[in-house]
Amino acid sequence: MPMNFMKWGSSSLKGHIALFEAAFSLPGFFIFLSQNYSQGTLTVAWAFYLAVVWAAFGAVGGAMFWYTVSLPLMKRGKDRRH
């Protein structure tokens, strides 16, 4: 099961976005959430704002990585095989 998820994640735009959300957005969200909580500045509105911002960062980061790194490498690999 994990290998199928990783294969899907590394070979599609949706997969890249899902992997970036899991690998970067969730940890970033929880780090900033805990920092705000420990400083006593956390509100429900701020938590929702952080969730939206980190989700957007994950989606943009995954899409950027897909179009600038993964897709060109995949195309280059297909060109070399033919």
Side-chain angles (χ1 to χ4, degrees), residues 25 28-34 36 42-57:
S25 293
F29 170 68
F30 286 123
I31 288 169
F32 277 83
L33 196 69
S34 66
N36 282 312
L42 183 63
T43 63
V44 173
W46 188 249
F48 281 126
Y49 175 76
L50 284 175
V52 169
V53 167
W54 281 101
F57 281 161

Side-chain angles (χ1 to χ4, degrees), residues 4 9 22 24 28 31 33 48 54-55 67-68 72-74 76 80 82:
N4 290 338
F24 299 109
I31 288 169
L33 196 69
F48 281 126
W54 281 101
Y67 285 111
T68 60
L73 286 175
M74 290 170 58
R76 187 179 311 153
R80 287 186 182 178
H82 293 293

